[in-house]
Amino acid sequence: MVVPESQDTMYYPPSDLQKDAHVADFSSYLALYRKSLENPEAFWKEIADKFFWKKPATGPVLQYNFDVKQGSIYVKCMDGAKTNMCYNVLDRHVMEGNLGEKVAYYWEGNSPDHHMTITYRQLLSQVCRCANVLKQMGVKKGDRVSIYLPMIPELVYTMLACARIGAIHSVVFAGFSSESLCERIMDAQSCVLVTADGVYRGEKLINLKQIADEALEKCRENASSSVTKCLVIKHHALRTKSGATCNKLQTPWDSECDIWWDEVMRDSPEECEPEWLDAEDPLFILYTSGSTGKPKGVLHTIAGYLLYTSLTFKYVFDHHHDDVYWCTADIGWITGHSYITYGPLANGATSVLFEGIPVHPHVGRFWEIIEKYKVTKFYTAPTAIRLLMKYGREPLQKYDLSSLRILGTVGEPINPEAWQWYHGVVGQGRCPVVDTFWQTETGGHVLTPLPAATPLKPGSATFPFFGVEPTILNEHGEELEGEAEGYLVFRRPWPGIMRTVFQNHERFENTYFKKFPGFYVTGDGCRRDKDGYYWITGRIDDMLNVSGHLMSTAEVEAALTVHQAVAEAAVVSRPHKVKGECLYCFVTLKHSREFNRTLVDELKRLVRERIGPIATPDFIQNAPALPKTRSGKIMRRILRQIARNEKDMGDLSTLADPKVVEVLFSHRCEAAP
Ligand code: PRX
C-alpha cells in the first residue's frame, strides 16, 4: 500500500482536523497499521493497558486458530484475565477519571417535548439499581436476558446491568414481530424478558407489551417457556402529568410473571459490586439473519469486544473529550451495540440517544437535533440520507450545522449521489465522510477511512482498520493481487470478531470458515482498485440488504409459504431509490387458487407479522412456475433479471423449461401496487 495519488476524484482530510487528530496523516496510519500486523502483541497490549483488569492475562493478548484444517476455530483475547465490561465503561470514568458529572447521553424522545440528560454518575447509579433488580429476580452469571425495548435510557441501563452481573443480554429490535421475538427467546433460552408497555414511533402507538405477551405465549405453545419473569417499563411519554397511563393503551398483565420496573427500581440499592468475569466470558448474543433462514445468535465476549469497539470509536470518529457524538442507529442492531452503547462509553464520550424517526414531527428533525446539541460527529445510514435528500436543502437551511466535524455511514454501499449530498450539503464540504464497512459478526469497523488520515473516494470503505488483514479470493480460493474483484475474506482475527454462534459452533465454522479454509469469509463481494482501495460490491450469498438491514431470502420465502394458497415462493432484490434494495417476491399458487389484490395484501401482512415491518415486500408477482434447473434448483439470477426488467437473459440452456421466462415477464410488476 502506498500513499494514494490517484486519477480518481479524491477528497483530502481538512487541515484543521489534522492539527489535533489521533492519526493525523496517511503515513502515520500506515506506520500504525504495519505495527498492528507485525507486532500485534505490543499493539494490543498498549490498548489493553488503558483498561482495568482485576487479574492480568496469563498469555498473549490474542490467541487463535483460524484454519478448520488445523482443528476447531477459536479466538481468545486477554485469556486468563478477570475484568468487567460495566466497570470499564462506567466506574472507571466515575471513580478514576473524574467524569462523574460529564454527560453520557442526551436522550431525545420521539417527540421533541421529551428529553433528558444523563451523566456518567447517574448512569452508573441506574445500572447498579437495575443489576440488583435482576439479581433479585434470580438472574445469575451466564443466564440470558432478552431485551425488547425502544430507544429509551432503560435499554442502556439493562444492557449494562447484565454486563455488570455477568448475564448475557440478547437485545431484539423492537420493530420485530412476536414471531421473531419468540424465535430469539427460544434459541437463547432466556430466563427474563425486559420490555415496555408501549411506544410512539412517529404518530403510531405500538403496544409492545402485547407483542411481548404474544411472543411468550408462542414460546409456551412450543413447550419452550424459559422466561419466568417479564420486567415492564412504563414509557414516560405515555403517561399523563398525573402519572396515569394514556387511555389509548391497554397493558395486558399477568401478575405471576410481570413486574413493573418502577416499583422494583424505587427500592433497589444504588450499589452493586461488579462480578469479576473471565475475559472470554460471553457479553451478549445478537441475532442476525442466516442464509438458511433461521437467525444466528452471534456471540461476542468481553475483553476483545471492549478493546476493539473502544479503539475503533476513538480513531474512526477521532474522538475528543468535548465532542458530542450522535449515531442514529437503533441499539437493536450491532451498530447501536458497538457505537451507541459500548464504544462511546468506553471512551467517556457524550452521545445523543435518539428514540424517534427522521421525519417526525417534521423532515428537519435530524438537523434540529444537530443544532440543539451542537453535534460534532454524526453517524447514519445511506437509506436515511437518501430519504432526507428527497426533501432538498430547505429543511437543512433552517438550522445551524456548523458544529459538525465528521460524518459517518454504515450498513450498505453508499451510492455516489448520496455521498455527494451528505458531504456537500450536510457537511457543507468540510467534513470527511467515513464509510465504515463491518458486520454483526466483526463487532466493529473492519474497513474504514480514518478521518484526518485517509484521502476519500466516494463509495469506497477505503482501507483496513488496525489488526485487520483483508484479502480477495477467486471462486477457487486463490488470492488475487493488485486490482481484483472477488470474495472479501480476512486472514486473521482481530479482538472484536465473534467467537461462535450461540450453542452452535458447527454452524459458526460452516458459515464462515469452511468455504475457504484459513480465512473468515464475509459473504460480501469486493473490488480492490489500482490504488489499493476496497469497494464493497454487495452480498454474494442469498442475503438481501433492505435499508441497511440484512435479511435472508429463505426467511421471507418461509413466511410466504405459510399462506394456504401458496405452493412455492422465491424472493430476490430489486433496486430501490431510498431503501437501496427492496423485496420482489414470486409466488406460485396452489391449484385453483386465484392471484388477486386481496391475496397480495394478505401475503404482505403475513410477512410483516412473521418477521416485522422492515421485511414488508414491495412487489409480489404471480409465478405460474419458477425457472428451475433440471435438478430442481431455482435460478435466482433469472428472477433477479425479471424483477429488474433486464431483457437480455443470457444462457438459458440449463433451464428445465425455458418457456417459463416469457410467462414470468408477462406477469411482471411494473410499479409497486
Ligand atoms: O453487506 C455488508 C453490509 O451490511 C452487511 C452486514 O450487516 P449487519 O451484520 O446487519 O451489520 C450492519 C451494520 C454494521 C455487510 O456484510 N454493509 C455494512 N456496512 C457497509 C456494508 N456494505 C457496504 N458498505 C458499508 N459501509
Side-chain angles (χ1 to χ4, degrees), residues 136-155:
Q136 196 68 40
M137 289 165 72
V139 180
K140 297 180 303 299
K141 178 185 161 195
D143 287 347
R144 275 79 58 206
V145 173
S146 288
I147 307 177
Y148 185 65
L149 283 176
M151 287 284 285
I152 50 178
E154 289 84 347
L155 170 52

mmCIF file with all atom_site columns, all heavy atoms in Angstrom, residues 136-155:
data_model
loop_
_atom_site.group_PDB
_atom_site.id
_atom_site.type_symbol
_atom_site.label_atom_id
_atom_site.label_alt_id
_atom_site.label_comp_id
_atom_site.label_asym_id
_atom_site.label_entity_id
_atom_site.label_seq_id
_atom_site.pdbx_PDB_ins_code
_atom_site.Cartn_x
_atom_site.Cartn_y
_atom_site.Cartn_z
_atom_site.occupancy
_atom_site.B_iso_or_equiv
_atom_site.pdbx_formal_charge
_atom_site.auth_seq_id
_atom_site.auth_comp_id
_atom_site.auth_asym_id
_atom_site.auth_atom_id
_atom_site.pdbx_PDB_model_num
ATOM 1   N N   . GLN A 1 136 ? -32.182 -9.887  42.135 1.00 0.00 ? 136 GLN A N   1
ATOM 2   C CA  . GLN A 1 136 ? -33.351 -10.182 42.964 1.00 0.00 ? 136 GLN A CA  1
ATOM 3   C C   . GLN A 1 136 ? -34.326 -11.123 42.239 1.00 0.00 ? 136 GLN A C   1
ATOM 4   O O   . GLN A 1 136 ? -34.983 -11.961 42.841 1.00 0.00 ? 136 GLN A O   1
ATOM 5   C CB  . GLN A 1 136 ? -34.059 -8.844  43.260 1.00 0.00 ? 136 GLN A CB  1
ATOM 6   C CG  . GLN A 1 136 ? -35.059 -8.867  44.378 1.00 0.00 ? 136 GLN A CG  1
ATOM 7   C CD  . GLN A 1 136 ? -34.368 -9.078  45.713 1.00 0.00 ? 136 GLN A CD  1
ATOM 8   O OE1 . GLN A 1 136 ? -33.302 -8.513  45.950 1.00 0.00 ? 136 GLN A OE1 1
ATOM 9   N NE2 . GLN A 1 136 ? -34.944 -9.914  46.562 1.00 0.00 ? 136 GLN A NE2 1
ATOM 10  N N   . MET A 1 137 ? -34.375 -10.951 40.918 1.00 0.00 ? 137 MET A N   1
ATOM 11  C CA  . MET A 1 137 ? -35.279 -11.796 40.127 1.00 0.00 ? 137 MET A CA  1
ATOM 12  C C   . MET A 1 137 ? -34.665 -13.170 39.847 1.00 0.00 ? 137 MET A C   1
ATOM 13  O O   . MET A 1 137 ? -35.249 -13.983 39.138 1.00 0.00 ? 137 MET A O   1
ATOM 14  C CB  . MET A 1 137 ? -35.598 -11.095 38.790 1.00 0.00 ? 137 MET A CB  1
ATOM 15  C CG  . MET A 1 137 ? -36.498 -9.892  38.948 1.00 0.00 ? 137 MET A CG  1
ATOM 16  S SD  . MET A 1 137 ? -36.506 -8.838  37.474 1.00 0.00 ? 137 MET A SD  1
ATOM 17  C CE  . MET A 1 137 ? -37.430 -9.835  36.359 1.00 0.00 ? 137 MET A CE  1
ATOM 18  N N   . GLY A 1 138 ? -33.471 -13.381 40.334 1.00 0.00 ? 138 GLY A N   1
ATOM 19  C CA  . GLY A 1 138 ? -32.847 -14.702 40.205 1.00 0.00 ? 138 GLY A CA  1
ATOM 20  C C   . GLY A 1 138 ? -31.872 -14.824 39.044 1.00 0.00 ? 138 GLY A C   1
ATOM 21  O O   . GLY A 1 138 ? -31.390 -15.917 38.743 1.00 0.00 ? 138 GLY A O   1
ATOM 22  N N   . VAL A 1 139 ? -31.590 -13.704 38.373 1.00 0.00 ? 139 VAL A N   1
ATOM 23  C CA  . VAL A 1 139 ? -30.673 -13.785 37.228 1.00 0.00 ? 139 VAL A CA  1
ATOM 24  C C   . VAL A 1 139 ? -29.240 -13.959 37.732 1.00 0.00 ? 139 VAL A C   1
ATOM 25  O O   . VAL A 1 139 ? -28.796 -13.223 38.612 1.00 0.00 ? 139 VAL A O   1
ATOM 26  C CB  . VAL A 1 139 ? -30.765 -12.511 36.355 1.00 0.00 ? 139 VAL A CB  1
ATOM 27  C CG1 . VAL A 1 139 ? -29.807 -12.604 35.170 1.00 0.00 ? 139 VAL A CG1 1
ATOM 28  C CG2 . VAL A 1 139 ? -32.195 -12.290 35.875 1.00 0.00 ? 139 VAL A CG2 1
ATOM 29  N N   . LYS A 1 140 ? -28.556 -14.936 37.162 1.00 0.00 ? 140 LYS A N   1
ATOM 30  C CA  . LYS A 1 140 ? -27.185 -15.232 37.591 1.00 0.00 ? 140 LYS A CA  1
ATOM 31  C C   . LYS A 1 140 ? -26.222 -15.147 36.404 1.00 0.00 ? 140 LYS A C   1
ATOM 32  O O   . LYS A 1 140 ? -26.653 -15.093 35.252 1.00 0.00 ? 140 LYS A O   1
ATOM 33  C CB  . LYS A 1 140 ? -27.118 -16.655 38.166 1.00 0.00 ? 140 LYS A CB  1
ATOM 34  C CG  . LYS A 1 140 ? -27.956 -16.857 39.418 1.00 0.00 ? 140 LYS A CG  1
ATOM 35  C CD  . LYS A 1 140 ? -27.855 -18.270 39.955 1.00 0.00 ? 140 LYS A CD  1
ATOM 36  C CE  . LYS A 1 140 ? -28.245 -19.361 38.970 1.00 0.00 ? 140 LYS A CE  1
ATOM 37  N NZ  . LYS A 1 140 ? -29.608 -19.351 38.465 1.00 0.00 ? 140 LYS A NZ  1
ATOM 38  N N   . LYS A 1 141 ? -24.957 -15.183 36.734 1.00 0.00 ? 141 LYS A N   1
ATOM 39  C CA  . LYS A 1 141 ? -23.910 -15.177 35.704 1.00 0.00 ? 141 LYS A CA  1
ATOM 40  C C   . LYS A 1 141 ? -24.201 -16.258 34.647 1.00 0.00 ? 141 LYS A C   1
ATOM 41  O O   . LYS A 1 141 ? -24.531 -17.400 34.990 1.00 0.00 ? 141 LYS A O   1
ATOM 42  C CB  . LYS A 1 141 ? -22.570 -15.475 36.389 1.00 0.00 ? 141 LYS A CB  1
ATOM 43  C CG  . LYS A 1 141 ? -21.432 -15.532 35.434 1.00 0.00 ? 141 LYS A CG  1
ATOM 44  C CD  . LYS A 1 141 ? -20.142 -15.956 36.108 1.00 0.00 ? 141 LYS A CD  1
ATOM 45  C CE  . LYS A 1 141 ? -19.208 -16.422 35.001 1.00 0.00 ? 141 LYS A CE  1
ATOM 46  N NZ  . LYS A 1 141 ? -18.076 -17.163 35.425 1.00 0.00 ? 141 LYS A NZ  1
ATOM 47  N N   . GLY A 1 142 ? -24.095 -15.878 33.380 1.00 0.00 ? 142 GLY A N   1
ATOM 48  C CA  . GLY A 1 142 ? -24.291 -16.846 32.291 1.00 0.00 ? 142 GLY A CA  1
ATOM 49  C C   . GLY A 1 142 ? -25.740 -16.968 31.836 1.00 0.00 ? 142 GLY A C   1
ATOM 50  O O   . GLY A 1 142 ? -26.015 -17.494 30.759 1.00 0.00 ? 142 GLY A O   1
ATOM 51  N N   . ASP A 1 143 ? -26.706 -16.493 32.655 1.00 0.00 ? 143 ASP A N   1
ATOM 52  C CA  . ASP A 1 143 ? -28.120 -16.534 32.241 1.00 0.00 ? 143 ASP A CA  1
ATOM 53  C C   . ASP A 1 143 ? -28.341 -15.553 31.101 1.00 0.00 ? 143 ASP A C   1
ATOM 54  O O   . ASP A 1 143 ? -27.670 -14.522 31.016 1.00 0.00 ? 143 ASP A O   1
ATOM 55  C CB  . ASP A 1 143 ? -29.040 -16.121 33.397 1.00 0.00 ? 143 ASP A CB  1
ATOM 56  C CG  . ASP A 1 143 ? -29.132 -17.199 34.469 1.00 0.00 ? 143 ASP A CG  1
ATOM 57  O OD1 . ASP A 1 143 ? -28.687 -18.334 34.200 1.00 0.00 ? 143 ASP A OD1 1
ATOM 58  O OD2 . ASP A 1 143 ? -29.648 -16.897 35.571 1.00 0.00 ? 143 ASP A OD2 1
ATOM 59  N N   . ARG A 1 144 ? -29.329 -15.845 30.252 1.00 0.00 ? 144 ARG A N   1
ATOM 60  C CA  . ARG A 1 144 ? -29.656 -14.924 29.166 1.00 0.00 ? 144 ARG A CA  1
ATOM 61  C C   . ARG A 1 144 ? -30.863 -14.064 29.527 1.00 0.00 ? 144 ARG A C   1
ATOM 62  O O   . ARG A 1 144 ? -31.836 -14.548 30.116 1.00 0.00 ? 144 ARG A O   1
ATOM 63  C CB  . ARG A 1 144 ? -29.955 -15.671 27.861 1.00 0.00 ? 144 ARG A CB  1
ATOM 64  C CG  . ARG A 1 144 ? -28.700 -15.991 27.078 1.00 0.00 ? 144 ARG A CG  1
ATOM 65  C CD  . ARG A 1 144 ? -27.957 -17.194 27.617 1.00 0.00 ? 144 ARG A CD  1
ATOM 66  N NE  . ARG A 1 144 ? -28.788 -18.374 27.626 1.00 0.00 ? 144 ARG A NE  1
ATOM 67  C CZ  . ARG A 1 144 ? -28.639 -19.412 28.429 1.00 0.00 ? 144 ARG A CZ  1
ATOM 68  N NH1 . ARG A 1 144 ? -27.671 -19.427 29.335 1.00 0.00 ? 144 ARG A NH1 1
ATOM 69  N NH2 . ARG A 1 144 ? -29.457 -20.444 28.374 1.00 0.00 ? 144 ARG A NH2 1
ATOM 70  N N   . VAL A 1 145 ? -30.764 -12.798 29.158 1.00 0.00 ? 145 VAL A N   1
ATOM 71  C CA  . VAL A 1 145 ? -31.856 -11.850 29.379 1.00 0.00 ? 145 VAL A CA  1
ATOM 72  C C   . VAL A 1 145 ? -32.227 -11.261 28.013 1.00 0.00 ? 145 VAL A C   1
ATOM 73  O O   . VAL A 1 145 ? -31.377 -10.654 27.353 1.00 0.00 ? 145 VAL A O   1
ATOM 74  C CB  . VAL A 1 145 ? -31.402 -10.717 30.342 1.00 0.00 ? 145 VAL A CB  1
ATOM 75  C CG1 . VAL A 1 145 ? -32.469 -9.630  30.451 1.00 0.00 ? 145 VAL A CG1 1
ATOM 76  C CG2 . VAL A 1 145 ? -31.070 -11.289 31.717 1.00 0.00 ? 145 VAL A CG2 1
ATOM 77  N N   . SER A 1 146 ? -33.469 -11.472 27.584 1.00 0.00 ? 146 SER A N   1
ATOM 78  C CA  . SER A 1 146 ? -33.898 -10.872 26.309 1.00 0.00 ? 146 SER A CA  1
ATOM 79  C C   . SER A 1 146 ? -34.424 -9.472  26.577 1.00 0.00 ? 146 SER A C   1
ATOM 80  O O   . SER A 1 146 ? -35.148 -9.252  27.556 1.00 0.00 ? 146 SER A O   1
ATOM 81  C CB  . SER A 1 146 ? -34.997 -11.715 25.657 1.00 0.00 ? 146 SER A CB  1
ATOM 82  O OG  . SER A 1 146 ? -34.441 -12.908 25.161 1.00 0.00 ? 146 SER A OG  1
ATOM 83  N N   . ILE A 1 147 ? -34.044 -8.550  25.717 1.00 0.00 ? 147 ILE A N   1
ATOM 84  C CA  . ILE A 1 147 ? -34.436 -7.149  25.898 1.00 0.00 ? 147 ILE A CA  1
ATOM 85  C C   . ILE A 1 147 ? -35.170 -6.692  24.641 1.00 0.00 ? 147 ILE A C   1
ATOM 86  O O   . ILE A 1 147 ? -34.600 -6.716  23.541 1.00 0.00 ? 147 ILE A O   1
ATOM 87  C CB  . ILE A 1 147 ? -33.194 -6.255  26.160 1.00 0.00 ? 147 ILE A CB  1
ATOM 88  C CG1 . ILE A 1 147 ? -32.365 -6.810  27.324 1.00 0.00 ? 147 ILE A CG1 1
ATOM 89  C CG2 . ILE A 1 147 ? -33.609 -4.824  26.421 1.00 0.00 ? 147 ILE A CG2 1
ATOM 90  C CD1 . ILE A 1 147 ? -31.069 -6.044  27.613 1.00 0.00 ? 147 ILE A CD1 1
ATOM 91  N N   . TYR A 1 148 ? -36.428 -6.304  24.821 1.00 0.00 ? 148 TYR A N   1
ATOM 92  C CA  . TYR A 1 148 ? -37.267 -5.901  23.687 1.00 0.00 ? 148 TYR A CA  1
ATOM 93  C C   . TYR A 1 148 ? -37.775 -4.505  24.008 1.00 0.00 ? 148 TYR A C   1
ATOM 94  O O   . TYR A 1 148 ? -38.847 -4.332  24.561 1.00 0.00 ? 148 TYR A O   1
ATOM 95  C CB  . TYR A 1 148 ? -38.401 -6.923  23.572 1.00 0.00 ? 148 TYR A CB  1
ATOM 96  C CG  . TYR A 1 148 ? -39.321 -6.771  22.386 1.00 0.00 ? 148 TYR A CG  1
ATOM 97  C CD1 . TYR A 1 148 ? -38.861 -6.934  21.085 1.00 0.00 ? 148 TYR A CD1 1
ATOM 98  C CD2 . TYR A 1 148 ? -40.678 -6.500  22.563 1.00 0.00 ? 148 TYR A CD2 1
ATOM 99  C CE1 . TYR A 1 148 ? -39.708 -6.826  20.002 1.00 0.00 ? 148 TYR A CE1 1
ATOM 100 C CE2 . TYR A 1 148 ? -41.544 -6.392  21.480 1.00 0.00 ? 148 TYR A CE2 1
ATOM 101 C CZ  . TYR A 1 148 ? -41.051 -6.558  20.203 1.00 0.00 ? 148 TYR A CZ  1
ATOM 102 O OH  . TYR A 1 148 ? -41.895 -6.454  19.123 1.00 0.00 ? 148 TYR A OH  1
ATOM 103 N N   . LEU A 1 149 ? -36.928 -3.513  23.707 1.00 0.00 ? 149 LEU A N   1
ATOM 104 C CA  . LEU A 1 149 ? -37.217 -2.146  24.152 1.00 0.00 ? 149 LEU A CA  1
ATOM 105 C C   . LEU A 1 149 ? -36.990 -1.128  23.042 1.00 0.00 ? 149 LEU A C   1
ATOM 106 O O   . LEU A 1 149 ? -36.127 -1.315  22.179 1.00 0.00 ? 149 LEU A O   1
ATOM 107 C CB  . LEU A 1 149 ? -36.277 -1.777  25.316 1.00 0.00 ? 149 LEU A CB  1
ATOM 108 C CG  . LEU A 1 149 ? -36.585 -2.351  26.692 1.00 0.00 ? 149 LEU A CG  1
ATOM 109 C CD1 . LEU A 1 149 ? -35.492 -1.946  27.675 1.00 0.00 ? 149 LEU A CD1 1
ATOM 110 C CD2 . LEU A 1 149 ? -37.944 -1.881  27.204 1.00 0.00 ? 149 LEU A CD2 1
ATOM 111 N N   . PRO A 1 150 ? -37.728 -0.038  23.109 1.00 0.00 ? 150 PRO A N   1
ATOM 112 C CA  . PRO A 1 150 ? -37.425 1.072   22.199 1.00 0.00 ? 150 PRO A CA  1
ATOM 113 C C   . PRO A 1 150 ? -36.165 1.796   22.666 1.00 0.00 ? 150 PRO A C   1
ATOM 114 O O   . PRO A 1 150 ? -35.556 1.416   23.681 1.00 0.00 ? 150 PRO A O   1
ATOM 115 C CB  . PRO A 1 150 ? -38.657 1.966   22.327 1.00 0.00 ? 150 PRO A CB  1
ATOM 116 C CG  . PRO A 1 150 ? -39.225 1.660   23.665 1.00 0.00 ? 150 PRO A CG  1
ATOM 117 C CD  . PRO A 1 150 ? -38.862 0.241   23.988 1.00 0.00 ? 150 PRO A CD  1
ATOM 118 N N   . MET A 1 151 ? -35.817 2.869   21.984 1.00 0.00 ? 151 MET A N   1
ATOM 119 C CA  . MET A 1 151 ? -34.572 3.591   22.283 1.00 0.00 ? 151 MET A CA  1
ATOM 120 C C   . MET A 1 151 ? -34.765 4.530   23.474 1.00 0.00 ? 151 MET A C   1
ATOM 121 O O   . MET A 1 151 ? -34.754 5.757   23.337 1.00 0.00 ? 151 MET A O   1
ATOM 122 C CB  . MET A 1 151 ? -34.145 4.364   21.045 1.00 0.00 ? 151 MET A CB  1
ATOM 123 C CG  . MET A 1 151 ? -33.609 3.462   19.966 1.00 0.00 ? 151 MET A CG  1
ATOM 124 S SD  . MET A 1 151 ? -31.941 2.911   20.335 1.00 0.00 ? 151 MET A SD  1
ATOM 125 C CE  . MET A 1 151 ? -31.044 4.404   19.973 1.00 0.00 ? 151 MET A CE  1
ATOM 126 N N   . ILE A 1 152 ? -34.919 3.928   24.640 1.00 0.00 ? 152 ILE A N   1
ATOM 127 C CA  . ILE A 1 152 ? -35.052 4.717   25.868 1.00 0.00 ? 152 ILE A CA  1
ATOM 128 C C   . ILE A 1 152 ? -33.842 4.408   26.756 1.00 0.00 ? 152 ILE A C   1
ATOM 129 O O   . ILE A 1 152 ? -33.198 3.372   26.583 1.00 0.00 ? 152 ILE A O   1
ATOM 130 C CB  . ILE A 1 152 ? -36.387 4.404   26.597 1.00 0.00 ? 152 ILE A CB  1
ATOM 131 C CG1 . ILE A 1 152 ? -36.587 2.893   26.758 1.00 0.00 ? 152 ILE A CG1 1
ATOM 132 C CG2 . ILE A 1 152 ? -37.554 5.019   25.825 1.00 0.00 ? 152 ILE A CG2 1
ATOM 133 C CD1 . ILE A 1 152 ? -37.854 2.500   27.501 1.00 0.00 ? 152 ILE A CD1 1
ATOM 134 N N   . PRO A 1 153 ? -33.521 5.298   27.700 1.00 0.00 ? 153 PRO A N   1
ATOM 135 C CA  . PRO A 1 153 ? -32.317 5.064   28.512 1.00 0.00 ? 153 PRO A CA  1
ATOM 136 C C   . PRO A 1 153 ? -32.328 3.704   29.218 1.00 0.00 ? 153 PRO A C   1
ATOM 137 O O   . PRO A 1 153 ? -31.275 3.095   29.415 1.00 0.00 ? 153 PRO A O   1
ATOM 138 C CB  . PRO A 1 153 ? -32.357 6.205   29.535 1.00 0.00 ? 153 PRO A CB  1
ATOM 139 C CG  . PRO A 1 153 ? -33.137 7.287   28.862 1.00 0.00 ? 153 PRO A CG  1
ATOM 140 C CD  . PRO A 1 153 ? -34.150 6.599   27.996 1.00 0.00 ? 153 PRO A CD  1
ATOM 141 N N   . GLU A 1 154 ? -33.526 3.226   29.571 1.00 0.00 ? 154 GLU A N   1
ATOM 142 C CA  . GLU A 1 154 ? -33.608 1.935   30.276 1.00 0.00 ? 154 GLU A CA  1
ATOM 143 C C   . GLU A 1 154 ? -33.002 0.792   29.462 1.00 0.00 ? 154 GLU A C   1
ATOM 144 O O   . GLU A 1 154 ? -32.584 -0.221  30.017 1.00 0.00 ? 154 GLU A O   1
ATOM 145 C CB  . GLU A 1 154 ? -35.075 1.611   30.627 1.00 0.00 ? 154 GLU A CB  1
ATOM 146 C CG  . GLU A 1 154 ? -35.659 2.482   31.725 1.00 0.00 ? 154 GLU A CG  1
ATOM 147 C CD  . GLU A 1 154 ? -36.205 3.824   31.218 1.00 0.00 ? 154 GLU A CD  1
ATOM 148 O OE1 . GLU A 1 154 ? -35.930 4.204   30.056 1.00 0.00 ? 154 GLU A OE1 1
ATOM 149 O OE2 . GLU A 1 154 ? -36.919 4.494   32.012 1.00 0.00 ? 154 GLU A OE2 1
ATOM 150 N N   . LEU A 1 155 ? -32.987 0.963   28.147 1.00 0.00 ? 155 LEU A N   1
ATOM 151 C CA  . LEU A 1 155 ? -32.368 -0.066  27.298 1.00 0.00 ? 155 LEU A CA  1
ATOM 152 C C   . LEU A 1 155 ? -30.871 -0.153  27.616 1.00 0.00 ? 155 LEU A C   1
ATOM 153 O O   . LEU A 1 155 ? -30.317 -1.244  27.805 1.00 0.00 ? 155 LEU A O   1
ATOM 154 C CB  . LEU A 1 155 ? -32.618 0.287   25.823 1.00 0.00 ? 155 LEU A CB  1
ATOM 155 C CG  . LEU A 1 155 ? -31.882 -0.493  24.738 1.00 0.00 ? 155 LEU A CG  1
ATOM 156 C CD1 . LEU A 1 155 ? -32.027 -1.986  24.899 1.00 0.00 ? 155 LEU A CD1 1
ATOM 157 C CD2 . LEU A 1 155 ? -32.395 -0.080  23.352 1.00 0.00 ? 155 LEU A CD2 1
#
